[in-house]
Each structure stands twice: as C-alpha cells, then as structure tokens.
Amino acid sequence: MSDLEHIPPRFHSFHSVVLSVSFCIRPSFSASCEDHLWPAMELNSTTIHDAIHPTAAFAQNRSALELASPTGNDTGQASWLESQLNPKNRVDSLDPLPNPLWRIDGCTAIGTQYYALPLHVGEVPPMRLDVFLPMETTRDPVLRDVLDLDAAFHTKDSTRLNRLGVTRHILRALQKWSLEGEGTAEHIAALYKDKPFGTRIILELGFSLESVKITVATTWHVEKQLIRPKALVETLGLPKEVIPETIDISNLSIVQQLHDSVCLVRIHHHDEPEDGQKLWIFKALTSNTKYLVCELRNLLLMEPYPHVVSKPKYLVTKYCRFGGKTAVVGFIIPFYAAGSLRDTIPLLHIHGLLKPEMQIMWARQLASAVLHVRERGRIYYPDLRLDNVVLTAGGDLVMVDFEQRGVWCEFAAPEVNAIAYVHTLAVDEGAGEEGLEQEHGDDSRLLYNQFISGEERPNRWAEFLSRILPGWQVLEQDEMYTPLPHGYKSYNIPWLALDEAEQEAAEAYMLGRVLWCIFEGQCAPQHAAVWQSYKREPDYEFPEYRHTPLPIRDLIDGCTKGRRETLSKLVTRVGSKMVLRRKDGLVDVNCTPLEVLDAARDWWRVEVEVAERFLTMREELKGRGEWKGNWYGRLRLREVVQRLEEYEREVGVKEVDREVLAELLKRCK
C-alpha cells in the first residue's frame, strides 16, 4: 500500500506536507571553529520553551541567546567583571573531599534538584531531603560555566554527576554547613525524624563557600496529597483482599537513591526477618502523587505475569502532622540487581557478548509482556523504553513503571505526539499570534495566517483539545488523586484521547523501536537526547539497520509505520551544547544560538501544522464513522508475538545458557 492509499483524496495535499518535511530553509554551515566567535547554544530552562517544545513555533525567547554567551557580549571576549581571572569569580576548590559528610546519588529537574544523603548521621529513612538550587541562582553565565551546570541538565547518574563542578561545590557547601553551621548530625537526624516527607534543603549558589546560603524549607504539600489506606481502598474501588500489608517508613533505611521516584532500601524490625536480609525498592513521589495512586491501582489489579513487575509487597505509611493522619507515602517492590536493559545491552554489544539467543528471548518476553498488560491488565502502557525494562539475576526481562505518565515525543508514536503538541500549546500563554508579533514584527500576522488557516480565537488550542478530550482541564487541576470525570482512570491526556485500537497501535510503535534497540545493541533509538545523556550513547539512530536480521527488520518496520523524523535529526545535543545537524548527518559545531532557534522554530511550525491537520482529519472521519483506530496499519501486538515465535522456530535459535548469562550480568554491574 502506498503512503497515499489510506488517506482520503481531500486530505492528499495535507499528506504531501507530511511526506515532504525535508527542510527547505537551512542555516549556512561554516567551515571551521576559528571562523566564528559565537558560542554554541547552551542547555538551560529557556531552551525547553524556545527550541525543544512545540512552543518554539510561536515564541522565541531571546534570553536564551544571553545565557548562551558566558562572556556576556557578542565578541567572544570576556570583560574583567566576567573573567574567571577576577578573584570574585573564582570557586574556592572543586577537588573531591577526602572525608565527605554527604553524598550525592543523582539529580533531576534540569540540574536543580540533587539527591543528597548524610553520611555523618547513620541510617536514615527515605524521607527525600533533597537539595534544591533556586533557578535564579543558577543563571549567572560564568557560574554555569565554572560549575558545569549545563552538563547537570542532562546528567543523571551518580558516577558522572559526581565529576561535575556543581556536585563537588554542593558537597563542599554541605560539608561546611555540617561542620560550622546548623547541619550537625543531631540537627540532620531531627530533620529526618520530625520534618514532613519531601522537605527541601535550599542551597543558593555563589562562587565562594562563604557566599553560599543554605536553609531548610519545611514543605507540607506532599503529605497534604497523601491518602489513608482505607480511603485508598474506597477511592480506587479496590477489593480489600488485594491491599498489601502496611509498614511504617521508620522501619526502612535508605541505601541509595536510584532515580527521582525510586530508592534502594532495607527493611528493619518487621515480622518477617528474611525481608531484612534483602534489598528492596521503595517507590514514592515528591510531587504529583496522583500518579503513584494510579500505579498502585494498576499493579494491584494486574494479573500476575513473569515479565511484569509483581504486586507491591508492602504499602509504606507515614504519620502526617498535616491533618493528623497516617497515610500511604509509597510502596515496596522487589529489587532487580541486574539493572536495566538500557545499560546492559550496549555493554554486551560493545564486547561482542550480545548473542542472538539473548536478543530473541528478550524480544519475545517483552512483546508478550506488553500484550499481557493490554489484554489481561486492561490498561495502556505509554512509556515503553529500555529504561523501564529490568533484568532478574537469571536474565529474564521484567517491565516496570506503571504510572502511565507517558514519554517525550522522541519515543512516542506520531498520533500521540500530535495530541501532546496541542496539549502543550493549550497550556502555554504565548502559543498564539501575539507571540509571533513580539518576535517578528508586523510581518508575523501574514506569516501566522499562512501557517494556520482559519479564524484566530482566544485559547484556540484549549478549545481544540476540549473537542478531542472533554474535561481535560480537570486532569491538571491538582497534584493529588481525585475522582475523575467521564470515567477517566488516569491523567495522561494524549493517551486518554485515543480509543483502544489507537492505543494498541501506539504501543506497537514504541515496541518496534525498543526491538530495534535490542537487535542493534543500542541503549536508545536516538543519540544525544536533550533530556538525558547515557553512559554509552547510541552509535547511530533508528531506523538505520546494521545488525538486525531481515525478518526482524520487516517486523520492526511493520510496527513503526507512519513514523516521522524527530527534532533530533535537525537539532541535537553535543556534550552540553545544542547544535545543528547537517544533511550528511554530521553536526555543525560552528552554528550560532540564533541559527539553532530559527531552525527549531521552522521545524516546529511544520510539525504543529501537520499535527493540527491530522487531528482535524481524524475528528471529521470519526464524525462520519469512517475512522479506523489503527490508521497506519501497524502490526497488532499478538501478531508481533507470533512472528517472533515463528522466527525463533524457523531459524533454530539455540537456548540461552542461563549460567553464562547470569555471570555476564554480574560482570556488567
């Protein structure tokens, strides 16, 4: 079937736009670094709005240009006030401490939130006493450069993060606070005992340790959101027999914070002593706890399956002084020590140890797990990435993370992205004609009218989204879980707007891309993702094939029909800079921030136009009863499982040697 055969004739002109997104307007590329004095565009908070989100189509916040120049001027020459030779711009020391009193396990939130653990207190419960850097104290361009704050934007793991200047500066500030200020062992122990869950250590950055200010901000908003165990049963309509036993958070001690919502813990003083001999995962959220409630419901109602994470072992409770209640703060699930496929697969591939029998086994297990979640779990899974696939000690695959939040557009299906773009614009105040006028003058009105046909209306994106998903605003009114309208059972707006056939097709799309990673030995479909860097970045990108067998290539292509090029094909990250990618695939390190912003704006204008026209077509066809959910004709999930099984039989893939695999996984760790 050709690309146009499944498009009604009246929409052929629209589809030609979809097929011809080979950018006509491209910045010129200079020949050498010496020819250009502008620094590359750095990663910071404005980068998201101005280049990474669809809001880039309507507003270019030029403050990003100012942040991109550490020198503060466009000549590339630093003035004395901005020079690092100036004593006031010197950091005391960034050497590792010989006997640190604190540890940083990772960070999140664009490099402004750090998982800090005290080492001078003894065992502490997982109360999430994180260090927060106020955004206004991270904007000084010289300080950003000295402390590697742009690298912290995308670096999450402990090993690489602790090499950055900002982490070492934070640790030195906490050391001084503990030795000379209020951060004594007694004071910190009292914070873990008496303060609410999610209380924050606010650290205002400065060049010298003397200029750093540290305060403790008691935050009640998380505990306010928490629900009592009994109310949890009533709110979710769960049968009492599926509710796990409760355990108080004081009976847990944190070993390591692994991710924003997941930490490694030990269980103490409990009726089952063997639990204390093992490591467990404690899952909890410090914001938007409604997603934790959704995940609890999904896991408690999920029919057991070997390749889907098991039901929680315990609900973890905490007495909350706000409201005088004992409420559920999180839950306990097994710890899979072999780690995630994201880190394991590229390491095995690099050393020539990723065998065909491993690949087909993991592919079958994952496809069957996704099918089980859809058919037996009766839910959608919107965040299918290698990050959310872990391995048992014996090498079996297990799907985790059932919050149903979703994933960024670099990983999602085009139809999901289309709704996500509209949603992003619906909640952005600048996504309209006025934003273009501010940046481009009088010509912007003509440009806007050419870009989006039809009469401009206030909140046009919000109105459009309301037709796609009535009552969507209610889903965003609060961070805590509340009964939802229209029978909604989750908060993911793009996925709730899809019917079941559309949801399965979108899952097949994500599955196809993950299968590509498994058979190509890569950690992700795109390299240099803006949001997160990896220990081992992909060598090349989907859909380039180098190692995948031909029958599996056909399967992956069948899963990913309708795929579109992503922004990373044009604008990508090199180190901590945003740069342009040339048509030959190489990057242009000489590009200016203005060129990056203009290229992103032009790309997003096309994408938003394509998204709106696609959704308009979908709306009209639905109204006439002519819409088919699997619009692109992708493989069904059951078909994927069957074809993987057929391939295994026909090729005669040998059995995986479990002892060898288990030993390899130990070596990978």
Side-chain angles (χ1 to χ4, degrees), residues 370-376 378-380 503-504 507:
V370 177
L371 179 64
H372 176 83
V373 170
R374 168 143 297 278
E375 291 189 346
R376 308 298 296 179
R378 306 293 299 171
I379 62 172
Y380 62 85
Q503 289 176 353
E504 181 179 357
E507 289 168 343

Side-chain angles (χ1 to χ4, degrees), residues 305 307 341 360-372 384-386 388-389 397-399 510-511 514-515 518 641 644:
Y305 192 68
H307 307 301
L341 271 185
I360 192 65
M361 179 186 75
W362 287 331
R364 274 194 302 100
Q365 290 180 349
L366 180 59
S368 68
V370 177
L371 179 64
H372 176 83
L384 188 54
R385 299 174 291 146
L386 289 183
N388 292 330
V389 180
L397 171 154
V398 178
M399 284 177 61
M510 292 187 294
L511 176 60
V514 174
L515 293 179
I518 292 174
V641 173
L644 288 170

Side-chain angles (χ1 to χ4, degrees), residues 485-589:
H486 307 290
Y488 300 150
K489 294 184 178 180
S490 62
Y491 294 86
N492 190 311
I493 289 173
W495 282 77
L496 286 174
L498 303 177
D499 60 37
E500 289 193 9
E502 290 173 312
Q503 289 176 353
E504 181 179 357
E507 289 168 343
Y509 181 90
M510 292 187 294
L511 176 60
R513 287 163 56 87
V514 174
L515 293 179
W516 178 89
C517 295
I518 292 174
F519 284 96
E520 292 294 326
Q522 305 299 316
C523 69
Q526 273 86 34
H527 60 69
V530 173
W531 303 105
Q532 180 175 353
S533 57
Y534 302 100
K535 294 179 182 178
R536 299 166 188 87
E537 297 278 8
D539 303 313
Y540 49 96
E541 296 190 339
F542 174 83
E544 179 181 349
Y545 293 108
R546 297 185 185 180
H547 307 288
T548 304
L550 287 176
I552 303 299
R553 296 185 189 189
D554 292 339
L555 184 152
I556 293 172
D557 289 341
C559 288
T560 57
K561 289 180 179 179
R563 62 188 180 230
R564 294 178 53 74
E565 287 194 346
T566 58
L567 178 63
S568 63
K569 291 291 185 180
L570 181 67
V571 176
T572 189
R573 176 179 56 77
V574 174
S576 299
K577 312 293 183 183
M578 296 300 296
V579 300
L580 291 173
R581 183 176 292 182
R582 303 187 313 211
K583 291 181 179 179
D584 60 7
L586 300 177
V587 297
D588 177 21
V589 297

Side-chain angles (χ1 to χ4, degrees), residues 115-179:
Y115 317 139
L117 288 177
L119 304 178
H120 59 310
V121 178
E123 292 185 343
V124 293
M127 291 291 291
R128 291 304 301 275
L129 199 67
D130 295 348
V131 169
F132 283 78
L133 308 181
M135 192 70 72
E136 60 271 16
T137 71
T138 66
R139 289 174 178 162
D140 184 293
V142 180
L143 191 63
R144 292 189 67 84
D145 185 49
V146 172
L147 297 183
D148 309 311
L149 279 167
D150 291 318
F153 185 101
H154 58 82
T155 305
K156 310 302 178 188
D157 61 279
S158 175
T159 301
R160 291 182 301 140
L161 188 68
N162 276 279
R163 297 174 186 152
L164 301 183
V166 62
T167 307
R168 295 181 178 183
H169 199 46
I170 290 172
L171 289 175
R172 284 184 169 273
L174 292 174
Q175 188 93 350
K176 186 175 186 298
W177 184 55
S178 298
L179 293 174

Side-chain angles (χ1 to χ4, degrees), residues 90-120:
R90 296 176 191 170
V91 173
D92 298 328
S93 174
L94 293 179
D95 293 333
L97 289 166
N99 297 295
L101 299 180
W102 291 77
R103 189 182 79 211
I104 301 293
D105 281 348
C107 79
T108 187
I110 62 175
T112 59
Q113 178 182 352
Y114 295 78
Y115 317 139
L117 288 177
L119 304 178
H120 59 310

Side-chain angles (χ1 to χ4, degrees), residues 7 11 13-23 57-58 414-415 417-419 421-422 425 451-452 461 464 562-565 602-618 632:
I7 302 290
F11 292 107
S13 60
F14 147 67
H15 198 64
S16 66
V17 174
V18 178
L19 295 176
S20 63
V21 188
S22 55
F23 298 89
F58 298 97
E415 59 272 28
N417 291 340
I419 303 172
Y421 299 161
V422 172
L425 296 172
F451 169 49
I452 298 293
W461 300 108
F464 191 12
R563 62 188 180 230
R564 294 178 53 74
E565 287 194 346
D602 294 340
W603 187 88
W604 276 115
R605 285 185 173 180
V606 173
E607 282 298 294
V608 172
E609 180 183 16
V610 169
E612 185 176 23
R613 291 187 179 182
F614 172 81
L615 293 174
T616 299
M617 175 186 70
R618 173 181 180 267
Y632 296 102

